Amino acid sequence: MKVLLVDDEVELVSAMAERLGFRDIDADWTDNGEEALKMAASTEYAVAVLDMKMPKMSGLDLMELLAKDHPTMKYVFLSGHGSETDFKAGCAAGCSYLIKPIQIEDLVAKIQEAQG
Amino acid sequence: MDIYEKIRPKFWDTDSGTGPGKNLFNYRRIWRIAIVILAVVALVPLMVMACIDYNVTQRSLESENLLRTARTTSNTRRTVAYFLEERTNALDFIAQHQGLSTLRQSQTLKRVFASLKNSFGGFVDIGIIDSQGRQVAYIGPHDFLGIDYSGQEWFTGTMERGTYTSDVFLGFRDEPHLVVARRVRDEKTGEDFVLRATLDTGKFNAILSSIDLPGGGDAFVVDTQGVIQTPSREHGDVFSKVDLFLPTYSERTSVNQILAKDGTDYTVGYAYVRGTPFIVLIVKKTATLMEPLETIRMELLWILVSSIIVILLVIVGVATYMVNKIYIADQTRARTLHRMEHTNRMASIGRLAAGVAHEINNPLSIINEKAGLIKDLFVFKKEYAHDDRLLSNIQSILDSVTRCGKITKRLLSFARHIDVEQDSIEFKDLADEVVDFLRKEAEYRSITITMDIPENLPPFVSDRGKLQQIFLNLINNAFQAMNDGGQLYIAARKITENRLIFSVDDDGCGIPEADMKRIFDPFFSTKKKRGGTGLGLSITYGLVQELGGTMAVESEVGKGTVFTIIMPLQGPHKA
């Protein structure tokens, strides 16, 4: 099972990928939307973990673009902002929503849940 | 001084301050203007009324005096005329009743004289003079029988006119007397005789002196030449010329006001007594007559003065009360505005805090992940000491903590209560600090912020907190006006030795011409529905003024807006 991590904070996303690796989840990561689209095009990911707020392209925007080419892909959103509107947008898209900082176990659970 | 402290109104010692609102808050000026206007409006009609009233009273008193004098004069004239007429008629009666031949008999004349004295009184003597002027019969205290009167004026006057009333004169007896005479024709001989009686001047004088003249004054009789006939109190002795001007003959009583030679103003009533050479004079001092006016004037003055004092007291009281109310209202308004400013500032801080919380969450997540990773490494890899990766991970935790610290400090520097705090400020630092808060939002919205601030800009002394708020408000406003992907241009320059100019230039929606005048007004907002209070720019404007700067705006709809602030290098010194 391949997981794609997208967050503008490189340090965060790299550490997260490595920790998921310890838990037998094969995670690729990137810090921007364009790169994520390229990676998704070449590799089949089951779940995408997206940060809500990123420069240029937000998590929701990226999800829409990814959803066009990869209809089966599931999404988990991360946000540092406790904003209600973001929460509603995330939930409306029918995906999981986690508020940073997160517990890695919660994330693993969400990924597994999303994957079905 | 204690009483003064108590009654002194609150607004008295307020500083009117400087600037455009100077007259608006000069309470003493408002107070003075109110008092002057109220006093003029209230006192001028009062004084006009008092003057009119005084004049009317004076005029009515004068006319009343003239009327009263005229009445007294007429009455006196009537009394005098009646006195003389009565006696001449008595002579007529005697002449007709007795017949001249009978009267010439000494016994008869004596009897007649005695009954005249008893019934009428005032007779001194009685005599009969023949047509040659020789006294042929006489009854009286003197021995005047046989005296020749042919040269006397009264004799010729009587022979011509048939009746005569003389002046008061001394005559042969050398004491003042007056004479009434009748021409009588002897039926038998057809010869003319004169029946003559002397009247007692004492009786005559008594008539005049008995007149009751209110407020003093003189009643006396002069002849047509102005020679005084009866004693007067102030206008000369008997037989001296009166010191008053005599009017020409008139049937009617006349009253004139005359200025005597010594400067006294007299009110004089004249009446010519018909058929005699007498003029009755009633002389009163005008000043004495007008004495009631003095009382009225004093009363009027007293009422006027007390009214003026009461009105002035009331006006001053009311003006003080009202201005005090205005002052208190202004104070309340200022406090309310200040509270709103504070609320607005708190709202800014709240927004900032939310933003900052978001910013802190990212580094905290990293700390979390890195710490978790270290834990994982320990758990999964079973190796620790001298591990470079472990060290670099620890380092990255430290870096993140530092970042948190920085953001927290900035938050605190914003949230700090903004007192008057003079600080030496590098504008570059200030701008960086403010822009850093909004940099994330700018990134998300792809807004490019360009800063054009020279390195060699001199530091200036001002209130850091206020300046931060000014720039934060301006940049926030600019962000709200801009679309995503806009350009914000912040510049600073030194324009003179002691002034700096800053500008915040956006390419947003711009401000319509109609709104330009109102943008600095409190509560003016174009986005009220979206939660704008309309206080942001008004407070910004207030803050700039407080720091001694000026603020200007240029805008073009659709092209953008430039806010320009000119700030002194040395801020205002506050006491």
Side-chain angles (χ1 to χ4, degrees), chain A residues 23-115:
Chain A
R23 285 165 179 78
D24 300 321
I25 293 171
D26 190 2
D28 285 347
W29 60 268
T30 179
D31 68 344
N32 63 73
E34 286 87 359
E35 188 69 27
L37 285 172
K38 278 181 208 159
M39 287 166 76
S42 57
T43 318
E44 188 67 26
Y45 293 106
V47 178
V49 179
L50 306 177
D51 186 20
M52 284 293 259
K53 288 215 164 181
M54 288 187 291
K56 290 174 189 165
M57 195 187 294
S58 81
L60 284 172
D61 295 341
L62 181 58
M63 183 196 83
E64 278 170 25
L65 292 175
L66 286 171
K68 272 189 218 161
D69 298 336
H70 313 279
T72 57
M73 199 184 274
K74 303 286 184 273
Y75 304 92
V76 173
F77 285 106
L78 299 181
S79 174
H81 201 277
S83 144
E84 205 182 341
T85 47
D86 282 0
F87 182 76
K88 277 184 185 158
C91 294
C95 337
S96 305
Y97 186 89
L98 288 172
I99 293 168
K100 292 194 235 179
I102 52 163
Q103 295 296 314
I104 195 77
E105 285 74 24
D106 289 347
L107 182 61
V108 171
K110 285 282 177 198
I111 288 169
Q112 280 163 355
E113 189 188 308
Q115 202 185 17

Side-chain angles (χ1 to χ4, degrees), chain B residues 442-498:
Chain B
E443 275 179 21
Y444 298 142
R445 294 180 53 193
S446 312
I447 290 169
T448 321
I449 300 176
T450 317
M451 301 239 259
D452 176 15
I453 300 167
E455 291 292 338
N456 61 350
L457 214 56
F460 63 105
V461 176
S462 202
D463 186 307
R464 181 180 288 272
K466 281 178 183 162
L467 273 174
Q468 278 174 335
Q469 203 180 356
I470 290 167
F471 281 98
L472 193 71
N473 279 348
L474 286 184
I475 296 171
N476 250 335
N477 272 349
F479 273 25
Q480 281 161 3
M482 280 190 290
N483 294 319
D484 289 3
Q487 294 273 338
L488 185 72
Y489 183 78
I490 298 169
R493 290 281 183 277
K494 179 178 160 183
I495 46 168
T496 62
E497 263 322 294
N498 48 17

Side-chain angles (χ1 to χ4, degrees), chain B residues 182-405:
Chain B
R182 270 280 177 280
R183 187 182 64 203
V184 183
R185 176 155 299 200
D186 186 359
E187 299 298 336
K188 290 173 189 162
T189 60
E191 200 182 348
D192 279 343
F193 290 87
V194 170
L195 179 60
R196 182 198 102 132
T198 307
L199 294 181
D200 183 3
T201 52
K203 186 102 179 182
F204 191 57
N205 294 347
I207 299 172
L208 292 161
S209 60
S210 70
I211 294 168
D212 180 33
L213 292 174
D218 242 354
F220 57 95
V221 172
V222 299
D223 69 6
T224 43
Q225 271 72 53
V227 177
I228 294 174
Q229 305 289 299
T230 68
S232 89
R233 276 175 227 156
E234 288 167 19
H235 298 279
D237 302 323
V238 179
F239 301 129
S240 69
K241 184 102 173 155
V242 74
D243 55 357
L244 297 166
F245 165 80
L246 291 177
T248 52
Y249 178 79
S250 150
E251 291 280 316
R252 294 169 57 86
T253 306
S254 69
V255 179
N256 290 339
Q257 292 209 337
I258 289 173
L259 198 66
K261 289 184 194 86
D262 61 354
T264 325
D265 195 10
Y266 290 107
T267 301
V268 186
Y270 303 92
Y272 280 79
V273 182
R274 215 183 316 174
T276 71
F278 296 137
I279 305 170
V280 171
L281 285 190
I282 304 285
V283 183
K284 296 175 182 176
K285 274 189 185 151
T286 310
T288 322
L289 282 178
M290 296 305 275
E291 247 163 28
L293 185 68
E294 200 67 20
T295 325
I296 291 167
R297 184 160 60 185
M298 283 315 289
E299 264 171 32
L300 208 62
L301 200 68
W302 173 238
I303 291 169
L304 188 68
V305 167
S306 36
S307 312
I308 287 173
I309 290 170
V310 168
I311 287 170
L312 283 181
L313 281 177
V314 168
I315 285 174
V316 169
V318 168
T320 311
Y321 178 77
M322 295 309 266
V323 174
N324 228 0
K325 281 281 177 209
I326 294 173
Y327 171 70
I328 291 167
D330 279 353
Q331 293 279 299
T332 317
R333 191 180 59 181
R335 265 200 299 278
T336 312
L337 273 181
H338 189 261
R339 201 158 50 232
M340 273 178 185
E341 183 186 329
H342 191 69
T343 312
N344 194 55
R345 189 181 299 157
M346 282 305 165
S348 307
I349 290 167
R351 276 200 301 278
L352 274 168
V356 166
H358 174 225
E359 294 310 314
I360 286 173
N361 277 346
N362 273 325
L364 278 184
S365 298
I366 301 167
I367 295 166
N368 187 41
E369 292 312 315
K370 291 294 176 184
L373 185 55
I374 293 165
K375 194 177 144 204
D376 289 355
L377 287 173
F378 279 102
V379 173
F380 292 100
K381 292 263 174 156
K382 317 264 192 232
E383 55 187 72
Y384 24 149
H386 302 297
D387 192 324
D388 286 343
R389 293 196 57 212
L390 194 59
L391 285 176
S392 78
N393 276 321
I394 291 167
Q395 190 51 51
S396 112
I397 293 170
L398 288 176
D399 289 349
S400 295
V401 170
T402 315
R403 271 175 67 183
C404 279

Side-chain angles (χ1 to χ4, degrees), chain B residues 17-260:
Chain B
T18 51
K22 193 163 86 180
N23 283 343
L24 204 61
F25 296 112
N26 190 339
Y27 299 101
R28 281 163 81 161
R29 187 168 172 273
I30 297 171
W31 186 74
R32 274 196 301 270
I33 288 174
I35 286 178
V36 167
I37 289 173
L38 288 175
V40 166
V41 168
L43 296 183
V44 165
L46 181 72
M47 289 180 179
V48 170
M49 289 301 288
C51 279
I52 290 172
D53 188 47
Y54 176 74
N55 282 332
V56 166
T57 315
Q58 189 180 27
R59 234 171 285 141
S60 76
L61 195 68
E62 273 170 3
S63 69
E64 195 196 311
N65 282 334
L66 292 182
L67 276 175
R68 198 192 294 159
T69 310
R71 207 161 54 229
T72 318
T73 314
S74 294
N75 288 345
T76 313
R77 195 243 341 243
R78 222 165 287 134
T79 316
V80 168
Y82 179 68
F83 178 83
L84 295 171
E85 211 176 310
E86 203 178 33
R87 276 146 192 82
T88 45
N89 288 347
L91 288 186
D92 272 349
F93 174 75
I94 291 160
Q96 279 173 26
H97 186 260
Q98 298 288 342
L100 197 66
S101 49
T102 325
L103 277 177
R104 282 184 68 173
Q105 293 164 19
S106 181
Q107 284 304 314
T108 317
L109 195 60
K110 201 171 193 170
R111 196 159 32 85
V112 164
F113 178 59
S115 53
L116 272 178
K117 268 181 110 172
N118 287 337
S119 55
F120 290 97
F123 287 91
V124 175
D125 58 13
I126 192 164
I128 295 167
I129 296 107
D130 68 11
S131 54
Q132 276 72 51
R134 184 162 304 272
Q135 182 143 296
V136 291
Y138 174 80
I139 299 293
H142 303 286
D143 182 20
F144 283 162
L145 198 64
I147 280 184
D148 184 4
Y149 286 117
S150 58
Q152 297 267 344
E153 196 236 326
W154 64 265
F155 176 72
T156 46
T158 314
M159 290 309 271
E160 275 164 28
R161 292 201 295 275
T163 175
Y164 186 84
T165 306
S166 78
D167 292 355
V168 175
F169 65 104
L170 293 172
F172 292 112
R173 64 195 77 178
D174 205 23
E175 76 184 38
H177 63 289
L178 70 108
V179 161
V180 285
R182 270 280 177 280
R183 187 182 64 203
V184 183
R185 176 155 299 200
D186 186 359
E187 299 298 336
K188 290 173 189 162
T189 60
E191 200 182 348
D192 279 343
F193 290 87
V194 170
L195 179 60
R196 182 198 102 132
T198 307
L199 294 181
D200 183 3
T201 52
K203 186 102 179 182
F204 191 57
N205 294 347
I207 299 172
L208 292 161
S209 60
S210 70
I211 294 168
D212 180 33
L213 292 174
D218 242 354
F220 57 95
V221 172
V222 299
D223 69 6
T224 43
Q225 271 72 53
V227 177
I228 294 174
Q229 305 289 299
T230 68
S232 89
R233 276 175 227 156
E234 288 167 19
H235 298 279
D237 302 323
V238 179
F239 301 129
S240 69
K241 184 102 173 155
V242 74
D243 55 357
L244 297 166
F245 165 80
L246 291 177
T248 52
Y249 178 79
S250 150
E251 291 280 316
R252 294 169 57 86
T253 306
S254 69
V255 179
N256 290 339
Q257 292 209 337
I258 289 173
L259 198 66

